[in-house]
């Protein structure tokens, strides 16, 4: 069974050029905060945003959150300086945009190693182009080779829709093959994977439905564009009371010494196998970790 390191139900993008947003971020109960130097920042604000974000991350003002810096692509005039500055302040991860091939991940890992960046700084990869969809497994498999920093796939569904010209309908049918392809690649290499953002802040029902679709597909969580989306996202990507009760029953059944050497037992009228025990253990682990995650009120109270 894969070891669960971190819970990533919600990952909120924070515009790096907005100093007030960076200050308020510590009070938001998102599991991860993505401090954005790329799409959310205008060209003339890139340098200022880099300085603000790095100062905020360096100050370690975000207890209870995983801190991630999304840099500009290395092909831009800002990318190399973004990467160097990010490595210097040691966020939990650096999010790389427009990843398309394994070489993109290896190149970043080499640069990070060259700057003596601690191995604790992981790489998150934006999966947002047609070529990335075709190379998903090869990108994921960089976990087996040089650098070995890759930890998370982040779906960039807006960019993917733009480049492929698909329409992001309510049932998401046009992009389901790509989502499932990336999920399979992530799981094959032990990566976490986060769903793309939902754009309509006034459509609460649509957001809830898209969270549920992502959860049912097997996503670990979802990227978000506004704090108002966090609570709903955290709830939907957490095990329900019924799921926890089922998991406890399955675990108790297999913990019974009478079942020490059996592969199948009956639980509440259903036959369950040891593969279900792995599922049950994961549910219980996620549930326990969720309880340890500070609530918004706890974060506000310090």
């Amino acid at each position: 069974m894969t070891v669960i390191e971190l819970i990533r139900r919600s990952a909120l993008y924070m515009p790096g050029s907005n100093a007030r947003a960076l200050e308020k971020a510590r009070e938001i109960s998102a599991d991860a905060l993505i401090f954005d130097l790329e799409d959310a920042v205008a060209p003339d604000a890139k340098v200022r945003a880099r300085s603000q974000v790095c100062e905020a991350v360096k100050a370690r003002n975000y207890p209870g959150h995983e801190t991630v810096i999304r840099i500009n692509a290395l092909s831009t005039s800002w990318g190399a300086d973004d990467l160097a500055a990010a490595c210097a302040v040691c966020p939990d991860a650096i999010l790389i945009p427009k990843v398309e091939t394994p070489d993109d991940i290896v190149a970043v890992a080499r640069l990070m190693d060259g700057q003596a960046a601690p191995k604790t700084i992981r790489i998150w990869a934006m999966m947002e182009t047609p070529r990335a969809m075709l190379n998903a497994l090869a990108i994921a498999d960089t976990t087996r080779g040089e650098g070995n920093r890759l930890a998370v796939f982040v779906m960039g569904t807006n960019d993917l829709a733009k480049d492929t010209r698909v329409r992001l309908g309510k049932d998401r049918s046009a992009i389901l093959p790509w989502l499932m392809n990336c999920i399979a690649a992530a799981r094959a290499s032990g990566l976490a994977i986060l769903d793309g953002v939902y754009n309509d802040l006034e459509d609460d029902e649509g957001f809830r439905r898209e969270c549920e679709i992502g959860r049912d597909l097997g996503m670990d969580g979802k990227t978000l564009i506004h704090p108002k989306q966090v609570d709903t996202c955290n709830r939907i990507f957490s095990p329900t009371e019924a799921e926890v009760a089922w998991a406890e029953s399955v675990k108790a059944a297999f913990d019974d010494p009478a079942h020490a050497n059996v592969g199948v037992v009956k639980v509440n009228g259903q036959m369950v196998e040891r593969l279900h025990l792995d599922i049950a253990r994961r549910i219980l682990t996620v549930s326990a970790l969720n309880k340890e995650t500070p609530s918004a009120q706890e974060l506000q109270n310090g």
Side-chain angles (χ1 to χ4, degrees):
M1 182 177 62
T2 301
V3 175
I4 299 170
E5 297 179 354
L6 293 166
I7 296 301
R8 300 181 176 104
R9 300 165 297 179
S10 53
L12 177 65
Y13 286 107
M14 306 296 296
S17 55
N18 188 330
R20 176 171 169 76
L22 299 181
E23 174 64 26
K24 295 292 290 183
R26 64 184 301 273
E27 302 174 1
I28 299 169
S29 57
D31 294 326
L33 299 171
I34 302 175
F35 301 108
D36 194 9
L37 303 180
E38 194 211 16
D39 285 348
V41 180
D44 61 358
K46 296 283 190 183
V47 175
R48 174 169 56 85
R50 180 196 302 143
S51 177
Q52 288 183 169
V53 164
C54 288
E55 283 299 315
V57 172
K58 184 178 180 180
R60 301 289 184 265
N61 286 330
Y62 305 100
H65 300 93
E66 189 173 9
T67 56
V68 184
I69 298 176
R70 178 161 74 166
I71 66 172
N72 289 280
L74 293 180
S75 59
T76 69
S77 59
W78 307 286
D81 288 339
D82 286 349
L83 182 62
C87 287
V89 297
C90 296
D92 294 302
I94 297 173
L95 177 54
I96 312 302
K98 300 295 189 290
V99 171
E100 294 196 313
T101 71
D103 289 343
D104 294 333
I105 298 298
V106 173
V108 171
R110 285 175 178 168
L111 289 171
M112 292 173 70
D113 290 344
Q115 295 173 30
K119 290 294 186 182
T120 54
I121 305 178
R122 308 305 298 275
I123 291 174
W124 289 19
M126 289 297 308
M127 302 293 286
E128 55 185 343
T129 71
R131 191 171 297 277
M133 299 303 99
L134 298 173
N135 289 330
L137 181 58
I139 294 168
D141 275 347
T142 60
T143 57
R144 307 173 192 272
E146 182 180 353
N148 193 22
R149 290 181 184 263
L150 184 61
V152 179
F153 274 176
V154 179
M155 300 306 302
T157 45
N158 284 336
D159 281 89
L160 189 57
K162 174 180 70 70
D163 287 352
T164 58
R165 303 174 194 168
V166 305
R167 296 186 180 185
L168 297 175
K170 292 183 178 180
D171 64 357
R172 313 185 79 188
S173 58
I175 64 169
L176 283 179
W178 298 325
L179 295 177
M180 292 308 303
N181 181 54
C182 288
I183 290 168
R187 298 302 178 225
S189 295
L191 301 177
I193 181 168
L194 302 178
D195 202 356
V197 300
Y198 190 78
N199 302 311
D200 190 346
L201 292 177
E202 304 306 316
D203 184 7
D204 294 338
E205 176 60 25
F207 175 68
R208 180 195 61 76
R209 180 176 60 249
E210 189 162 296
C211 285
E212 291 174 345
I213 291 173
R215 176 201 62 195
D216 292 350
L217 291 177
M219 297 284 183
D220 293 287
K222 190 169 183 65
T223 48
L224 311 173
I225 58 174
H226 195 279
K228 69 178 285 186
Q229 298 175 322
V230 171
D231 287 345
T232 296
C233 186
N234 282 348
R235 175 177 55 79
I236 291 174
F237 281 95
S238 295
T240 65
E241 291 184 3
E243 287 170 334
V244 172
W246 173 85
E248 289 174 340
S249 297
V250 171
K251 184 176 182 301
F254 280 104
D255 284 346
D256 186 336
H259 300 147
N261 297 312
V262 301
V264 180
V265 296
K266 180 181 286 189
V267 178
N268 299 327
Q270 296 183 331
M271 302 305 295
V272 297
E273 304 173 56
R274 289 199 172 269
L275 67 89
H276 296 105
L277 177 59
D278 287 344
I279 296 171
R281 285 172 173 159
R282 185 183 189 282
I283 289 172
L284 295 175
T285 300
V286 170
S287 178
L289 289 173
N290 287 350
K291 291 176 182 178
E292 295 173 5
T293 302
S295 66
Q297 187 63 49
E298 289 170 332
L299 290 168
Q300 291 170 11
N301 292 340

